[in-house]
Amino acid sequence: MALQCGIVGLPNVGKSTLINTLSGSKKAVAQDRPGVTRHNSRISIPSLGLELTDTPGILWPKFEDPQVGVKLAFTGAIKDQVLDMEEMACELLKILYHSYR
């Protein structure tokens, strides 16, 4: 009997890539942008005795601190289409300047 595991996390952190690495083949669609995995999918890896569930990325519904959303955007967890890229670049430069002179 295979061990069943769910792979859960933020968008665009490598959940599908982890599954592909463990399986040794491209069983899960993986791209370098959020929102590619839209539904749960089960992937069997008999050689490891695993059955993995690849899940879409999850975010909490509301950020108390707006900086949380900004920092998630820097990581690629939020789609570029909903962001002002110039504003994000300026925010990143401010943070880098103040934190890493």
Side-chain angles (χ1 to χ4, degrees):
M1 181 173 195
L3 178 65
Q4 296 180 355
C5 301
I7 309 298
V8 182
L10 295 171
N12 205 34
V13 295
K15 296 177 296 297
S16 298
T17 301
L18 172 66
I19 290 170
N20 289 338
T21 300
L22 291 172
S23 71
S25 65
K26 292 189 175 189
K27 293 187 176 189
V29 177
Q31 295 182 13
D32 65 347
R33 61 186 178 88
V36 173
T37 304
R38 298 201 176 269
H39 306 285
N40 291 352
S41 61
R42 290 186 179 210
I43 292 131
S44 181
I45 307 174
S47 62
L48 297 177
L50 292 174
E51 186 173 297
L52 303 177
T53 302
D54 191 13
T55 62
I58 55 171
L59 289 172
W60 43 104
K62 183 178 177 184
F63 307 121
E64 300 276 329
D65 179 359
Q67 284 297 310
V68 170
V70 169
K71 290 176 181 175
L72 282 169
F74 296 156
T75 68
I78 299 173
K79 290 184 179 183
D80 292 345
Q81 293 84 355
V82 299
L83 303 169
D84 180 338
M85 296 308 285
E86 287 181 15
E87 185 179 321
M88 289 292 104
C90 289
E91 286 295 319
L92 179 58
L93 288 172
K94 284 182 205 173
I95 290 171
L96 292 174
Y97 178 77
H98 291 293
S99 300
Y100 304 101
R101 290 183 188 212

